[in-house]
Amino acid sequence: MSRPVTHVTPSAKGQISGDEPFRFDVCFAAAPPARCNVTVDLYDPSTPAHPEGHFAYWSFATSGERRFSIEVDPTRDPPVRVLGHPLRITWENPDLDLVAATRVALNVVLGIPGEPPLEIQAFRWVRSHEALDGTEALLEAPGYVRALAPPALDLEPDARVHIVATNIRVGDAIGNLALDALRALRLHGFDTRLYARETDPELWGVAEPVEALSKHARAGDLVFYQYSVADPDLGVVLDSPAAKVCFY
C-alpha cells in the first residue's frame, strides 16, 4: 500500500517540514523553449560538495509546460516522481542514504543540455524539528556584540527590522554581518527577522526565503539589505512598503 502524500504548494521557494512524503508544485517564469529538460536534484546541504553530497539526478523532457507537480518519497524507488512525465535517472550516489537524511535540498533546474541553466527553483526539506537543533545557540550574542552601543533606530514600538541578503553562510563575511546585526538588534529588544535565498542548514530554522518579506514587512518597518551579488530577488525588496537601507 502506498504511503499518503502531503500536497504542499509553496507560495514561494521555501522550507517544507515534516517526515511525510510530499508533492510540491513548480512554476517556471516562462514557458520552456524547445529541447529543454527539467532536472530534479536531491542533495545533502551539510555536504555541499558536488557530486559527493548529491543523492541523485532525474530528468525529463518538457513540451512547453511551465508547471509541474513533483512527488518525493524517500522510501520509494525511485524516490522522485513527476506527475505526467516519465523520468530517467542521470546519476546516483550509492554512498548516501536518502531515507536517513534529516535535511534535504531540492533543486529543480530548467535548461538545454550542454548550456547554462535557464532557471533554478530551490526547495529545502526538513524531515524533523530535531534537524534544527543548535540553531538558537548560533543566535546568542557573543561578547563583542554585547559590547556594542545600543542601535539608535527611530522606530515605532511595534516596528520590525528585516535583514535580507542573497546568501547567508555561517562564518563568511556577509553571513557574519547579517548574524551579528540580528544578534545586536534582538539583544536590544528589536523584533528582527532574517531572509536569504541560500543559507547553511544550521540557519534553516531562522532565515526565511526572501519572498516571505512581502508577507511580513509593513510600512513603518525597516529593511537592511545587503546587495552583495546580482540578486534575482531584488524586486521583492524594492516592492516592500518598509523603509530600506542598502549597503554593499
Side-chain angles (χ1 to χ4, degrees):
M1 185 172 69
S2 62
R3 302 172 69 196
V5 174
T6 301
H7 182 212
V8 295
T9 308
S11 57
K13 297 180 288 296
Q15 182 172 295
I16 301 165
S17 300
D19 59 2
E20 290 294 322
F22 63 91
R23 184 173 84 241
F24 65 99
D25 296 331
V26 174
C27 181
F28 291 115
R35 300 188 299 113
C36 254
N37 278 358
V38 173
T39 300
V40 182
D41 171 18
L42 300 187
Y43 63 97
D44 179 350
S46 62
T47 312
H50 185 282
E52 289 86 355
H54 293 244
F55 297 101
Y57 315 130
W58 297 267
S59 64
F60 62 94
T62 68
S63 54
E65 312 103 302
R66 292 176 53 207
R67 300 175 183 272
F68 305 97
S69 291
I70 299 175
E71 289 186 354
V72 180
D73 182 349
T75 66
R76 187 175 58 201
D77 186 20
V80 170
R81 182 169 66 178
V82 179
L83 304 188
H85 288 271
L87 286 178
R88 60 185 180 89
I89 189 165
T90 55
W91 183 85
E92 67 179 331
N93 188 344
D95 297 327
L96 292 182
D97 182 3
L98 183 58
V99 174
T102 55
R103 290 178 296 208
V104 179
L106 305 94
N107 281 343
V108 184
V109 183
L110 175 69
I112 297 172
E115 298 184 11
L118 299 172
E119 186 175 345
I120 299 175
Q121 299 257 354
F123 297 85
R124 304 176 295 186
W125 180 21
V126 178
R127 303 286 291 283
S128 68
H129 291 291
E130 288 75 16
L132 303 177
D133 286 351
T135 295
E136 288 304 316
L138 282 172
L139 303 184
E140 294 178 3
Y144 64 87
V145 170
R146 294 181 176 276
L148 297 173
L153 297 179
D154 185 17
L155 297 176
E156 295 296 324
D158 63 343
R160 300 167 177 168
V161 181
H162 310 271
I163 299 172
V164 184
T166 304
N167 301 297
I168 297 178
R169 308 287 185 189
V170 177
D172 75 356
I174 295 170
N176 285 345
L177 181 56
L179 288 171
D180 279 344
L182 180 79
R183 293 161 179 153
L185 289 163
R186 286 189 174 181
L187 178 65
H188 292 284
F190 291 94
D191 182 354
T192 309
R193 305 183 180 202
L194 196 65
Y195 306 82
R197 185 177 183 86
E198 294 290 339
T199 63
D200 288 333
E202 292 84 350
L203 296 173
W204 280 12
V206 178
E208 300 183 64
V210 177
E211 290 89 347
L213 182 70
S214 60
K215 295 188 297 183
H216 300 318
R218 307 164 299 190
D221 288 357
L222 180 63
V223 173
F224 280 120
Y225 179 51
Q226 301 191 58
Y227 191 43
S228 59
V229 295
D231 187 355
D233 298 316
L234 176 60
V236 178
V237 177
L238 295 178
D239 289 342
S240 166
K244 304 164 190 74
V245 175
C246 176
F247 54 98
Y248 174 78

